[in-house]
Amino acid sequence: SSLRLRSDLSPESLPFQLRPIDWYSLGYTAVDPETRPSRTIDYAAGDFFLQDAGSMLALAGCEADVPPRNDRLVCDLCAAPGGKASALLESIEDGFLLANEPIKSRIAPLAFNLSRTGIDRYAISSMDPDKLAERLGGVFDLVLVDVPCSGQALLGRGKQSLAAVSQTQIEHSASRARRILKSAITLVRPGGQLVLSTCTFAEAENESQVRWMLQQGGVSPAPVERLTGYSSGESNCTYRLWPHRHHCAGSFAASVRCEDAEPMVTGRRQKRQRQKNRERLPAELSQWFDGLPKRYQVSGATIWGWPEDAPSWVDTIAIRGPEIAYRTGQTWKPSHETSVRRRGPWSIRQSIEVDDETAHQFLFGQPIPCDQSGWCVVRHHGRGLGWIKASHGTGKNHLTSAARMSG
């Protein structure tokens, strides 16, 4: 199993032995193939993400494992299921991430993976790249485009059919990707970076696309020095991993600089217009949290909240964000995301620290002992795992199903 470790942790902190992945400093592979990282408390606590080593090539191109640059605006244009987007979110410090996913059925896993980071500096949109480029052209310091492709690298893992190698599929994928890339170029601010990523081997979907981009006005190669050993093609900015050489599914990444984009949204931290008749926050939030968000959005049965310095356009294009609370019937409940939050403007009022046995009991969805009353976050070594609602010595389990261990 390959995994991506949080930047503030060391591989020695995990309960199994790891060996590093050469092209990405936060990437590791479990030494024992029988190890099941997803069955550990550390995984539940968000200490690492399971991720194929090949997909980390694009993250290396984005330099998501180096100290963050302040005030950076990043867009993951085709973000689901969120492996790369979550890495970018962990890398931005006081910047902001827009995770765009045009296919609405893929939003739920994207939202969950972003929530696992414990960071609230993101918004999720679901727009066609053309429409997004019309709204936010020339805004982003970095745009990652993990374009839909023929998926040939997934053949060996049984996740793709032989249609992936057909000329028809390759041409269809290349044509679709070129349309997306045209919009992606527009989204990059003058002097910003665009990183292209695929999980296919077809030259028409990889190096050919980069040659086309470099023929566009204002687009130039942006070589990634540390990836020189993985170079492919003649453009000096394209890189490949191969299953038989690099012990991963295989992948392609390219890095270019975009100089000519004209910003369509002025100001990186615009002052927002005051929202009129905004729905008030339910009183229950004051029972769960010390301090309340000043930048929030109530959408039906869900409340999202963003940092006050989030970009001005967030409120107008986000369909989801860092979730604070949700309603079932007439009852508001705290969202799972707040229990794992590592940064943010407020703190949890009630929490309990549990041992390994009780943590596993909780993660399997069972009630646990608790001598407090009301909503309470379960913590293990200080790390939030989820919510319980306690009364009469028992904490009723409210861990979201996506975060539970099974089997």
Side-chain angles (χ1 to χ4, degrees):
S1 297
S2 297
L3 60 88
R4 191 189 78 243
L5 193 63
R6 260 176 40 196
S7 61
D8 58 337
L9 300 176
S10 68
E12 291 76 24
S13 67
L14 297 185
F16 45 84
Q17 191 175 357
L18 297 169
R19 62 171 174 267
I21 290 170
D22 292 339
W23 49 91
Y24 194 64
S25 66
L26 299 178
Y28 297 88
T29 301
V31 172
D32 183 356
E34 300 300 316
T35 297
R36 299 181 66 185
S38 64
R39 300 298 297 267
T40 63
I41 300 172
D42 306 273
Y43 175 75
D47 286 354
F48 62 88
F49 280 74
L50 299 180
Q51 191 165 9
D52 182 76
S55 71
M56 298 182 206
L57 181 68
L59 295 178
C62 296
E63 296 191 310
D65 56 345
V66 302
R69 280 150 279 187
N70 291 337
D71 203 24
R72 201 177 190 208
L73 295 183
V74 178
C75 176
D76 188 340
L77 191 55
C78 307
K84 297 182 184 70
S86 59
L88 292 172
L89 180 57
E90 289 182 330
S91 77
I92 58 175
E93 198 65 32
D94 65 349
F96 199 84
L97 170 73
L98 178 65
N100 184 71
E101 176 48 56
I103 303 173
K104 286 190 167 56
S105 62
R106 305 186 73 196
I107 294 292
L110 170 62
F112 178 69
N113 279 320
L114 290 174
S115 76
R116 291 190 70 239
T117 65
I119 302 168
D120 65 351
R121 304 192 67 84
Y122 72 90
I124 297 174
S125 58
S126 184
M127 299 178 70
D128 182 276
D130 288 348
K131 297 297 183 184
L132 186 63
E134 288 176 9
R135 297 281 294 275
L136 299 180
V139 165
F140 295 98
D141 300 287
L142 168 68
V143 175
L144 171 63
V145 198
D146 190 10
V147 292
C149 65
S150 57
Q152 294 170 0
L154 305 178
L155 272 169
R157 303 194 172 184
K159 296 182 179 180
Q160 187 58 279
S161 71
L162 286 175
V165 298
S166 72
Q167 192 62 31
T168 300
Q169 181 61 57
I170 292 170
E171 291 174 357
H172 169 75
S173 296
S175 176
R176 176 177 55 188
R178 188 163 294 186
R179 181 181 72 85
I180 295 171
L181 287 169
K182 186 175 181 181
S183 300
I185 292 170
T186 305
L187 286 163
V188 182
R189 70 160 174 81
Q193 182 189 17
L194 185 153
V195 173
L196 165 65
S197 173
T198 79
C199 58
T200 194
F201 305 121
E203 198 273 351
E205 298 181 69
N206 294 327
E207 287 86 358
S208 286
Q209 300 283 37
V210 177
R211 283 196 295 273
W212 171 80
M213 283 196 290
L214 295 176
Q215 292 167 3
Q216 311 306 303
V219 180
S220 59
V224 182
E225 185 176 346
R226 66 157 124 177
L227 295 180
T228 301
Y230 308 97
S231 291
S232 68
E234 71 284 354
S235 63
N236 196 33
C237 64
T238 58
Y239 311 96
R240 282 183 181 259
L241 297 174
W242 300 95
H244 61 291
R245 293 181 184 173
H246 303 113
H247 308 291
C248 63
S251 63
F252 172 86
S255 171
V256 299
R257 191 76 56 198
C258 303
E259 299 292 349
D260 288 351
E262 290 296 330
M264 296 183 186
V265 175
T266 57
R268 299 170 62 78
R269 288 286 188 269
Q270 282 182 312
K271 186 176 181 180
R272 295 180 305 116
Q273 294 181 351
R274 185 178 298 277
Q275 293 178 320
K276 297 179 180 179
N277 302 319
R278 185 169 63 166
E279 188 171 339
R280 301 179 75 176
L281 291 172
E284 291 92 330
L285 267 66
S286 296
Q287 300 170 18
W288 312 327
F289 311 117
D290 283 322
L292 295 177
K294 296 180 180 179
R295 181 93 176 263
Y296 66 88
Q297 184 172 320
V298 182
S299 178
T302 308
I303 302 172
W304 308 312
W306 289 284
E308 283 193 82
D309 64 347
S312 59
W313 40 260
V314 165
D315 307 81
T316 63
I317 67 168
I319 65 163
R320 290 184 76 160
E323 194 173 287
I324 299 171
Y326 67 97
R327 191 179 63 216
T328 57
Q330 298 301 310
T331 304
W332 284 100
K333 301 176 181 179
S335 289
H336 173 73
E337 185 164 350
T338 58
S339 70
V340 299
R341 187 69 54 81
R342 298 200 304 274
R343 307 180 200 168
W346 67 80
S347 58
I348 302 294
R349 283 191 178 273
Q350 285 198 118
S351 64
I352 60 167
E353 183 73 20
V354 299
D355 57 18
D356 289 5
E357 182 180 355
T358 307
H360 277 110
Q361 186 178 337
F362 173 72
L363 292 171
F364 275 98
Q366 300 169 16
I368 62 172
C370 181
D371 58 6
Q372 300 191 43
S373 180
W375 289 97
C376 187
V377 166
V378 179
R379 298 189 186 278
H380 180 267
H381 295 304
R383 304 167 300 181
L385 300 179
W387 287 96
I388 55 173
K389 191 173 186 183
S391 65
H392 306 294
T394 299
K396 183 180 178 182
N397 197 308
H398 283 266
L399 184 63
T400 181
S401 59
R404 295 186 181 189
M405 290 184 182
S406 60

